[in-house]
Amino acid sequence: MLAGAPGSLHAEPPLMDSGDPAAIAARSRSAPDAALKTAQAEGGPARAIPVCQQQAPRMAAALSAQSGWQVRRIGVRVREPSAGTPDAWERRQLDDLAARRAAGEPAGQLRLRVLTGEGGAIHERYLQAIVTAPMCLSCHGAAEQLAPAVRAALAARYPDDRATGFKAGGLRAALSLTRTPIADSKRSN
């Protein structure tokens, strides 16, 4: 059942245009970012870690169900390999986005929307960069500069963590949206 539909368990209103991946990406960022800021204000960065681990994936799953796009966050270096590891196409695009950012391209322009052929189907793909904000450094900055409580919480929750060592303004991750275009899925039926 779609979020916002009659009888839905979700209070979110339906998306106005599920064909606009930029709007979906913005929505995918806003709710977790607000929850992170609240958690940090209430208990510091260590308190925000469960938001990233538990709430952000649930929010992405709900948005995926509502929008018709598969919505996920992928990392340049991942904290949780089972959840944020880019596929081969995403990896190439992350490398390109990182090069564009290093060349001075503004963060807001680091996105792309393309059609790809995968597994005999045509997929629409959208990638939008997540650039490291100063707030992110409390958990994603240089490992030796993280607060002891943050290091302990990360070690307990993410034993294979590689998502530290980032600097403000650099590419850290991306929102990746994928869907099979409706026109193509109707042709194959």
Side-chain angles (χ1 to χ4, degrees):
M1 185 173 298
L2 294 178
S8 171
L9 298 176
H10 302 285
E12 290 281 335
L15 292 173
M16 297 306 293
D17 179 8
S18 64
D20 181 7
I24 297 164
R27 193 156 163 193
S28 179
R29 294 252 353 231
S30 64
D33 286 355
L36 281 170
K37 288 176 184 174
T38 299
Q40 281 200 351
E42 291 173 353
R47 177 91 183 258
I49 292 169
V51 171
C52 283
Q53 186 182 38
Q54 299 164 0
Q55 290 181 24
R58 283 195 302 259
M59 292 173 187
L63 191 54
S64 293
Q66 181 183 11
S67 70
W69 290 82
Q70 178 190 4
V71 179
R72 57 192 212 108
R73 288 180 183 222
I74 56 169
V76 171
R77 294 188 303 274
V78 297
R79 183 149 277 165
E80 178 59 53
S82 66
T85 300
D87 64 26
W89 180 86
E90 291 165 332
R91 170 57 51 204
R92 289 190 304 275
Q93 304 319 311
L94 282 173
D95 292 344
D96 181 60
L97 291 174
R100 289 168 52 190
R101 182 65 181 152
E105 189 167 337
Q109 294 178 13
L110 296 173
R111 65 183 120 200
L112 67 134
R113 185 177 183 178
V114 299
L115 293 177
T116 62
E118 303 166 35
I122 301 297
H123 297 274
E124 186 173 7
R125 299 195 75 165
Y126 178 83
L127 215 64
Q128 181 174 320
I130 297 174
V131 174
T132 308
M135 176 182 85
C136 304
L137 296 176
S138 58
C139 294
H140 291 284
E144 64 277 1
Q145 294 178 353
L146 300 179
V150 170
R151 281 196 307 264
L154 290 174
R157 290 179 180 270
Y158 301 105
D160 298 318
D161 182 21
R162 296 183 342 149
T164 59
F166 292 97
K167 295 180 178 162
L171 182 70
R172 183 176 55 77
L175 289 166
S176 178
L177 284 71
T178 305
R179 73 175 177 175
T180 301
I182 294 168
D184 287 354
S185 63
K186 284 182 180 174
R187 266 191 284 162
S188 64
N189 289 336

